[in-house]
């Protein structure tokens, strides 16, 4: 009889531990369900917000990927409701998937370029003439640069994405007062800029630096947005941001493929971006053409050699 009582008493702590373990498991499961449910709702909210707002999908034939490096042509356009527009922002983001290194190359829009099938014009005219594919072919023909994918965003959509990701604004050190032709008035100093103000900052060019200063500011904005994207306090905004990005950004990827690429990038830890601008210093001169206006005539081979070394790839 005593042995049976001892056995019952020895089993009670185990039962209490089992009940406690089940309670913790149930609580964790509920937390996961709530978090997933919130993320799904916010994602759908972003999708709904961006419904029917992105620039139309274009035919695009990217180069075959060889090795660990993928190059993305990133374009910003100001459609203003017009059927055709020029690209105000032209960048190539080069991602080395082996070490998670990212290189960002900005191309000046006034580069005098040989546009396949057309007379030579400024580089940003290629998109106006025949869309993303022609601009891609122009860059590839000039520099031997392989381009595998593209992403295109209208500036009004850019403003909305910034406000979703960083509702309190993006911290930016504005180096001077700015207002001319950017739709906002910015004062010198460190400020938290909303989407419209950040876009105005990135587009300002009415100073001695001209387009070179604008390109530098665009790169500065990309760096600031990367920081916002990886900031823990913005994690709750990410599902809505990703959902809206599906609608606001036009790309050759499917939605599922976009998500996979973003997750791959973020899962590898800290993201550093090394930046450069084409043309490089000492490799260009200004020249006026009757059909194209003031243009930047560059030493193509000198810039091609720089790109090859900077990106770590052989350019044909």
């Amino acid at each position: 009889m005593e042995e049976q009582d001892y056995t019952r008493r020895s089993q009670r702590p185990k039962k209490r531990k089992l009940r406690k373990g089940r309670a913790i498991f149930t609580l964790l499961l509920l937390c996961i369900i709530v978090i997933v449910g919130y993320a799904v709702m916010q994602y759908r909210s972003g999708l709904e917000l961006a419904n029917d707002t992105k620039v139309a999908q274009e035919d695009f034939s990217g180069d075959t990927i060889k090795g660990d490096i993928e190059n993305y042509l990133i374009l910003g356009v100001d459609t203003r409701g017009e059927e055709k527009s020029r690209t105000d922002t032209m960048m190539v983001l080069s991602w080395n998937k082996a070490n998670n290194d990212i290189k960002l190359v900005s191309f000046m829009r006034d580069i005098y370029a040989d546009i396949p099938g057309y007379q030579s014009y400024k580089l940003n005219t290629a998109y106006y003439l025949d869309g993303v594919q022609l601009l891609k072919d122009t860059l590839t023909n000039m520099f031997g640069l392989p381009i595998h994918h593209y992403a295109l965003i209208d500036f009004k959509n850019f403003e909305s994405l910034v406000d979703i990701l960083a509702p309190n604004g993006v911290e930016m050190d504005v180096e001077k007062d700015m207002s001319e032709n950017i739709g906002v008035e910015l004062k010198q100093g460190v400020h938290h800029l909303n989407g419209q103000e950040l876009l105005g900052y990135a587009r300002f060019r009415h100073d001695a630096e001209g387009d070179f200063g604008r390109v530098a500011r665009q790169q500065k904005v990309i760096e600031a947005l990367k920081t916002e994207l990886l900031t823990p306090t913005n994690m709750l905004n990410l599902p809505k941001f990703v959902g809206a990005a599906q609608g606001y950004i036009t790309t050759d990827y499917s939605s599922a493929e976009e998500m996979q690429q973003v997750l791959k990038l973020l899962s590898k830890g800290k993201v550093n971006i090394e930046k450069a601008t084409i043309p490089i210093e000492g490799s260009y001169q200004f020249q006026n053409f009757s059909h194209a206006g003031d243009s930047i005539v560059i030493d193509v081979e000198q810039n091609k050699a720089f790109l090859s070394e900077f990106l770590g790839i052989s350019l044909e």
Side-chain angles (χ1 to χ4, degrees), residues 43-63:
Y43 175 80
R44 289 176 177 172
S45 173
L47 278 177
E48 183 67 25
L49 186 67
N51 190 34
D52 297 327
T53 58
K54 70 179 179 182
V55 181
Q57 189 85 27
E58 298 191 27
D59 292 332
F60 178 79
S61 179
D63 295 306

Side-chain angles (χ1 to χ4, degrees), residues 164-168 227-239:
I164 292 170
L165 177 63
N168 297 320
T227 300
E228 291 292 338
L229 188 64
L230 300 176
T231 299
T233 54
N234 285 335
M235 288 300 174
L236 289 177
N237 304 325
L238 283 181

Side-chain angles (χ1 to χ4, degrees), residues 23-276:
I24 292 173
F25 175 78
T26 302
L27 184 61
L28 287 174
L29 185 60
L30 286 173
C31 288
I32 291 172
I33 291 172
V34 169
I35 291 170
V36 171
Y38 171 84
V40 170
M41 287 177 60
Q42 289 298 301
Y43 175 80
R44 289 176 177 172
S45 173
L47 278 177
E48 183 67 25
L49 186 67
N51 190 34
D52 297 327
T53 58
K54 70 179 179 182
V55 181
Q57 189 85 27
E58 298 191 27
D59 292 332
F60 178 79
S61 179
D63 295 306
T64 302
I65 298 172
K66 299 177 181 178
D68 294 317
I69 294 178
E70 281 189 42
N71 295 326
Y72 301 77
L73 179 60
I74 301 175
L75 307 175
V77 297
D78 186 8
T79 59
R80 302 183 188 180
E82 298 173 359
E83 185 178 346
K84 285 191 172 185
S85 59
R86 286 173 171 79
T87 43
D88 197 70
T89 301
M90 294 175 288
M91 299 178 174
V92 169
L93 185 148
S94 184
W95 176 28
N96 188 322
K97 294 177 289 184
N99 55 25
N100 217 36
D101 281 349
I102 291 181
K103 306 288 181 68
L104 186 68
V105 182
S106 297
F107 291 86
M108 300 290 293
R109 66 179 197 167
D110 289 342
I111 291 173
Y112 194 64
D114 291 329
I115 301 176
Y118 295 88
Q119 186 178 5
S120 295
Y121 286 100
K122 293 179 181 180
L123 182 60
N124 70 334
T125 306
Y127 178 77
Y128 175 84
L129 291 171
D130 202 16
V132 173
Q133 187 67 48
L134 183 59
L135 178 54
K136 180 266 177 198
D137 292 341
T138 301
L139 288 172
T140 299
N141 288 353
M142 281 189 76
F143 302 105
L145 179 64
I147 295 174
H148 309 110
H149 302 285
Y150 84 93
L152 175 66
I153 184 169
D154 179 75
F155 287 140
K156 291 303 295 181
N157 294 342
F158 171 84
E159 293 178 13
S160 299
L161 278 177
V162 171
D163 290 336
I164 292 170
L165 177 63
N168 297 320
V170 176
E171 185 175 296
M172 187 63 58
D173 185 1
V174 180
E175 60 270 21
K176 64 187 73 176
D177 291 352
M178 303 176 184
S179 61
E180 190 173 352
N181 292 344
I182 59 174
V184 294
E185 186 173 345
L186 304 177
K187 295 296 183 182
Q188 183 179 9
V190 178
H191 304 283
H192 282 81
L193 306 183
N194 62 27
Q196 184 182 14
E197 293 166 336
L198 192 66
L199 177 62
Y201 174 79
R203 299 191 70 189
F204 180 77
R205 65 187 180 100
H206 292 276
D207 60 6
E209 295 177 296
D211 273 338
F212 284 92
R214 173 163 60 177
V215 166
R217 280 185 285 276
Q218 289 173 352
Q219 293 181 343
K220 189 175 172 183
V221 165
I222 293 294
E223 186 68 35
L225 289 175
K226 182 210 75 173
T227 300
E228 291 292 338
L229 188 64
L230 300 176
T231 299
T233 54
N234 285 335
M235 288 300 174
L236 289 177
N237 304 325
L238 283 181
K240 188 174 182 180
F241 174 81
V242 172
Q246 302 291 315
Y248 284 140
I249 300 174
T250 301
T251 176
D252 58 308
Y253 275 121
S254 69
S255 296
E257 288 171 330
E258 287 178 54
M259 286 296 297
Q260 288 175 4
Q261 292 298 86
V262 171
L263 291 173
K264 283 180 186 178
L265 179 63
L266 296 179
S267 67
K268 293 187 177 182
K270 189 175 181 180
V271 179
N272 293 313
I273 302 177
E274 192 174 350
K275 298 174 282 292

